[in-house]
Amino acid sequence: AQSVTQLGSHVSVSEGALVLLRCNYSSSVPPYLFWYVQYPNQGLQLLLKYTSAATLVKGINGFEAEFKKSETSFHLTKPSAHMSDAAEYFCAVSVPQAAGNKLTFGGGTRVLVKP
Amino acid sequence: DSGVTQTPKHLITATGQRVTLRCSPRSGDLSVYWYQQSLDQGLQFLIQYYNGEERAKGNILERFSAQQFPDLHSELNLSSLELGDSALYFCASSTGQGSNNEQFFGPGTRLTVL
């Protein structure tokens, strides 16, 4: 069975500073990996996804993530934080299965951006 | 706006009751998924339907059931409600049924069981 671990349930960054959110996964087969963002009182929005093409994936709002198989990681970064980046971020994994598509989520990391 | 709609937005009910949550997928999407988000369990996959057929099942309680109708909308039925069922329930949809399909999430239904 697959699983996802997000290190740090809360991260505080200054506006303009690097945002780094950590995600490690466990999967018995090559996985597909996703990062979602959840703003207060809203649903989840896809930031980016890795589906076995390029290991460096660029997403929306200036975010990118790098798939590192040797480290079983898929960390999310953004060079310069904006106030609008304050939200909760979820890393998720799915694996090719005979049927169906199930996302397994990490516990989430809440990002606070300080002015 | 993802194009996925969920009704109602909020639901308050009592223990032992039964409720129905409704989801309309994005136009053209054949897969519908249900997830539960709670403080203690986080985001958990419940069930997936593809074109009316059940495709994958997660940790869905026996008191919960779902279906997808011919017009592709889906309903999640929760019965014999307990306090612990209070959570945010999300519906998501995707074009296909495979694991590399991007899932688009609705705004959720917040269920409060008193």
Side-chain angles (χ1 to χ4, degrees):
Chain A
Q2 63 271 23
S3 65
V4 176
T5 301
Q6 290 184 240
L7 285 176
S9 59
H10 291 80
V11 166
S12 181
V13 298
S14 297
E15 193 173 17
L18 171 73
V19 179
L20 170 60
L21 305 182
R22 299 178 187 276
C23 170
N24 288 88
Y25 69 90
S26 172
S27 173
S28 57
V29 299
Y32 300 128
L33 294 159
F34 305 81
W35 274 101
Y36 282 87
V37 60
Q38 184 179 25
Y39 298 102
N41 300 314
Q42 293 187 29
L44 284 80
Q45 180 184 9
L46 183 70
L47 284 175
L48 49 81
K49 64 179 181 180
Y50 166 78
T51 55
S52 73
T55 56
L56 183 61
V57 182
K58 293 190 184 299
I60 63 171
N61 301 339
F63 285 94
E64 64 180 38
E66 186 172 9
F67 173 70
K68 291 187 177 180
K69 183 179 177 181
S70 61
E71 299 177 7
T72 61
S73 69
F74 190 56
H75 302 330
L76 181 72
T77 60
K78 182 173 180 177
S80 175
H82 296 166
M83 297 299 292
S84 60
D85 294 327
E88 190 157 20
Y89 294 78
F90 292 92
C91 182
V93 62
S94 70
V95 294
Q97 300 178 106
N101 176 16
K102 159 190 167 180
L103 282 174
T104 299
F105 286 90
T109 298
R110 191 172 297 275
V111 173
L112 171 66
V113 182
K114 298 177 293 184
Chain B
D1 184 353
S2 67
V4 178
T5 60
Q6 290 186 247
T7 57
K9 192 166 184 178
H10 300 278
L11 200 47
I12 301 175
T13 188
T15 54
Q17 295 298 304
R18 173 189 169 94
V19 297
T20 297
L21 282 53
R22 183 187 168 102
C23 168
S24 293
R26 293 187 321 155
S27 178
D29 283 358
L30 298 178
S31 269
V32 169
Y33 311 80
W34 287 97
Y35 291 85
Q36 180 193 59
Q37 185 178 33
S38 63
L39 285 175
D40 52 345
Q41 305 269 10
L43 263 165
Q44 290 209 64
F45 168 77
L46 295 178
I47 198 163
Q48 175 197 3
Y49 280 83
Y50 176 78
N51 204 21
E53 301 286 330
E54 183 183 303
R55 273 293 179 264
K57 211 166 184 176
N59 297 326
I60 187 167
L61 299 172
E62 284 191 14
R63 300 183 286 109
F64 295 2
S65 65
Q67 55 183 324
Q68 186 180 28
F69 295 86
D71 67 352
L72 301 177
H73 90 272
S74 177
E75 293 180 356
L76 179 67
N77 299 296
L78 315 176
S79 61
S80 302
L81 285 168
E82 302 174 359
L83 295 178
D85 297 327
S86 294
L88 197 49
Y89 291 84
F90 286 111
C91 171
S93 72
S94 68
T95 307
Q97 59 178 318
S99 305
N100 59 344
N101 275 261
E102 176 181 342
Q103 295 184 27
F104 295 86
F105 282 76
T109 292
R110 183 170 295 281
L111 173 67
T112 303
V113 183
L114 301 175

